[in-house]
Amino acid sequence: MKNKFTLLIVFLFVFANLLFAQKSNGLLDETLPADFPPIVMTDIDNPAPGYYFLGNNSGKGAGSKYANYIMILDLEGKPQAYRKVGTGAKLPRSFQQVSCGLMTFTEESTTGQLGFILDENLNKIDSIPGYNTGRVDIMPNGHYLLTEKENIPTDLSVVFKGGDPNATLAGNRVYELDRNKNVVFVWRTTDYYSLKMSYADTLSSKYDFCHTNMIYPDYDGNFLISQRNFSSITKVNKRTGDIIWKLGGKQNEFTFIGENEANAPNYFSYQHHVRRMANGDLSMFDNGVQHSPAAYSRGAEYKIDEINKTATLVWEYRQTPDVAAKAEGSVELLPNGNRIIGWGEASSTGGPALTELHPDNSLACQITLPAGYKSMMASKYPWKPGVPQASVSKDIAEGNSYDFSQDGNNTCLKIKILTLIGTGNPSISVDKFNFAPLYPIFNENPAPMVAAKRIHVKINETDSLLAEYSFNTSCLGLNYKPEEYKVYYRAEAGAGEFKKLETVYHPVTGDLIITTNLGGEFIFGIPEPETKPNIPLLVTPQDLEKTNQTKPVNFTWSPHGYFTDSRLLVATDVEFANIVIDTIIKGIKFNYAKFKADQQYFWKLQSINGNTMGDWSGIRSFNTSAPYIKMSVPNGNEIWEKNTIKYIIRWNKNINDLVKIELIKNDVTVLVIKDSLSCPTGAFAWKIPAEVVTDSIYKIRVTCVANAALVAESDNVFTIQEKETSVIELNQSKYQLEISPNPARNNISISLNNGLQAIGTNMSITIFNSRGIEIKKFDGKDLLGLSKIDYSTADLPAGVYYCALTDGANTITKSFVVVR
């Protein structure tokens, strides 16, 4: 009996230990929600320390069996923490641990994408309101990096043959926000790139121009920007906004070495998760949509020579058999040399969502989600930011030097005790964290470029102490210009302002040396100079625009480079003697609703960087006007053919209400072309149906749906006829637009290969900006007898523009660039 009782005790003890071990390694299956997706982990072979971060979703279809979660898994694939995001169209995006140890992710819903900041237990502690962002990062200096889609109504018919005149151009903006979430850097893709840079569908009504999916701080403080639909990576100067170089895509500047030539010229394509690694290489998830002969995805790493402009492939990994992820994905190098690949969209077809590899590309493990589910990216982090990577304590005495490294723990700090007064047992404890500081504050503009390391020093049982601290830059990974780093200090970790300490760099040892009596939190940063900001680009209102006097005027602009504030001046005269608005603004937009009716106004802007003022922009003017619609095309004598090409109906307006478009004859409606159309561009492509009767007395009427009194008709009649061959065809063999110089600064000359004299009175030449907004129009009757047009571009912002020659039915277009 006694033996049976002993066996029972042993059994209960073993069971309790097994239960405790299961709980300590993860949440029990029965404690997980019923809609939590089952996680399968296979091929486990000595994975690296850390925790796996995933954000599963089943796309935008409702009625899924499992809900969408962000989750943290241990080395056995067991959930350690999770947060339910929702079901159906409520999706988690870009779940990650950022440099300070907090977590970020984007929550997508039918109303857009909102970025959130989470604590280590996945509780929401902050958000980034006001931005429809696909990704939120927090830099080591506490600033935020965001990407945001910018939807711009654009007439693409003046850019691409067959382009939609009523299209939405999806450009992108990337932002840096300071710790108070004020904009200090913004970069618009449409300011720097031609619309023809893209591989996106040019005939789509929603032209996803660049699809920026990543902004990442480079080793030198500048930014790496990944543009998926360019198959390109752009390095951008943070201070000026200028492009430093372009890797990949139609304007690639690099020679690729060691690549698969079958994939030329786009050796990587539709890439995601571009990052600069500690060794200086670039890693990415190459979605490989343009690979030949068939698409396949891979992880890739390139050694980048920015001087000689070479990109050498030094590592890649492909699944066997190949998988193809049209979108999403990630690659991460871990401290021990292992790598994590997140397979993005490809994981929804039953393949792994995450693969961990040893340095030789052998499997360390794979994680699979249920069929139909995917994780946008997958990564591995330490998770607990409060746990030091190294911790050493030592008793101290005056005159001695101490290396705070022992038993494999290296805090990268040596201390020499210069003077010491204490009655107890004086000691110093040093903790090193591979995370940036929480909530840093700097009394500098701009904030310094900070390393993602921090060291806590605690001085025990001393009355006073003076010591020499030597922080080793090589140990800390401060490889870029270590001599420029300064030591910053605050007394309490996680709170208060950092003060820059007098720092001496020792070129032989690579140490940053300070003399101090302080304990507290120490970090390392390169101070940024306060530079003169660039001239901003004015965006809206357009020059000479007639704004709707019943609505606020929306001023928007694009600062080029770093800035802290903008000064907006609005006046009723071009000399700005009669000021209406003189205001300092944080941000890139300002609305004003108190302008007088039927009044001309002039405006200009300058950027400010702390105490440094930039130069003023050029001057634009606008006129407040009553709401109006006025027909532009067709407006008399046009000849349009039935059931052939699409003809573009155009009207000028200063309203954005829905409109009705009608074909009329003798003031009677013959056909309702569109009953209720949203058309911000004032241009609509119409293919005349075969049933319309041929006649020469047609007009087009455009009416505001909300206010029928706002109506416009063609001034004169036009003709609809059967297809004939006598209509002038504009084609490249007959007409070729020539623009010089191109690029231009202050003026251009526009001519034709056979002279402007060939132009008829029904033809015109129009200049548009990259948004499809008309800047200048030359009617055919004004061009008769001229050999060329001289046009001043001195007041145009830098960017891409288009010159279109049209006969009302057909158009040829030539682009030109204005540089500053």
Side-chain angles (χ1 to χ4, degrees), residues 29 60 67 105 119 144 159 290 293 385 460 492 575 597 615 668 671 704 709 735 752 818:
D29 289 342
K60 297 182 180 180
F105 85 106
D119 65 15
Y144 302 89
V159 184
Q290 295 169 310
N460 307 302
E492 182 181 351
E575 291 82 17
D615 294 329
V668 176
L671 176 69
C704 175
Y735 295 108
L752 293 177
V818 174

Side-chain angles (χ1 to χ4, degrees), residues 259-268 290-292:
E259 261 289 12
N260 181 357
E261 289 304 316
N263 294 326
N266 291 330
Y267 296 100
F268 63 84
Q290 295 169 310
H291 283 171
S292 179

Side-chain angles (χ1 to χ4, degrees), residues 128-131 139 143-148 173-188 215 223 238 445-446 533 557-567 584-589 607-610:
I128 312 291
Y131 296 91
M139 294 195 295
H143 286 203
Y144 302 89
L145 292 179
L146 315 175
T147 61
E148 182 181 51
R173 288 183 291 233
V174 295
Y175 296 95
E176 179 183 343
L177 311 181
D178 67 16
R179 66 183 182 87
N180 296 316
K181 302 187 181 119
N182 297 312
V183 179
V184 294
F185 177 90
V186 60
W187 197 83
R188 300 174 72 237
I215 174 174
F223 293 132
K238 170 184 174 176
N445 174 61
W557 55 93
S558 181
H560 275 199
Y562 202 89
F563 77 111
T564 55
D565 303 276
S566 300
R567 184 183 179 191
I584 303 295
I585 303 154
K586 286 191 177 296
I588 56 172
K589 59 185 177 181
S607 294
I608 304 169
N609 187 7

Side-chain angles (χ1 to χ4, degrees), residues 667-811:
D667 292 327
V668 176
T669 300
V670 175
L671 176 69
V672 176
I673 299 171
K674 278 291 180 180
D675 183 62
S676 183
L677 173 69
S678 174
C679 194
T681 64
F684 177 73
W686 177 45
K687 187 174 183 180
I688 303 171
E691 58 268 24
V692 173
V693 177
T694 60
D695 212 327
S696 60
I697 55 172
Y698 283 113
K699 290 185 177 182
I700 294 291
R701 177 188 292 154
V702 177
T703 308
C704 175
V705 173
N707 181 3
L710 288 176
V711 62
E713 291 183 4
S714 305
D715 288 340
N716 299 291
V717 296
F718 72 100
T719 298
I720 295 179
Q721 64 178 27
E722 302 292 343
K723 179 174 176 60
E724 295 183 3
T725 58
S726 60
V727 176
I728 296 176
E729 294 284 343
L730 288 179
N731 54 66
Q732 295 295 340
S733 63
K734 185 172 183 179
Y735 295 108
Q736 289 184 6
L737 274 174
E738 296 176 353
I739 299 174
S740 65
N742 189 6
R745 288 190 182 274
N746 296 319
N747 58 74
I748 57 171
S749 291
I750 306 169
S751 59
L752 293 177
N753 59 327
N754 55 358
L756 291 178
Q757 292 90 338
I759 288 183
T761 57
N762 68 324
M763 301 168 73
S764 63
I765 290 179
T766 309
I767 296 174
F768 299 86
N769 65 15
S770 62
R771 297 175 63 191
I773 296 175
E774 179 181 310
I775 295 173
K776 181 68 176 178
K777 184 174 183 179
F778 302 93
D779 292 322
K781 62 180 180 293
D782 300 325
L783 303 174
L784 294 178
L786 297 179
S787 61
K788 64 177 181 176
I789 303 169
D790 290 321
Y791 177 68
S792 173
T793 59
D795 293 332
L796 295 181
V800 180
Y801 295 84
Y802 300 91
C803 183
L805 171 65
T806 180
D807 67 351
N810 303 281
T811 301

Side-chain angles (χ1 to χ4, degrees), residues 506-540:
H506 195 296
V508 176
T509 63
D511 288 340
L512 299 172
I513 301 170
I514 63 171
T515 301
T516 183
N517 60 355
L518 302 171
E521 184 177 29
F522 295 86
I523 63 170
F524 315 93
I526 296 179
E528 288 275 1
E530 185 175 295
T531 54
K532 181 179 178 179
N534 274 355
I535 298 173
L537 292 183
L538 307 183
V539 180
T540 62

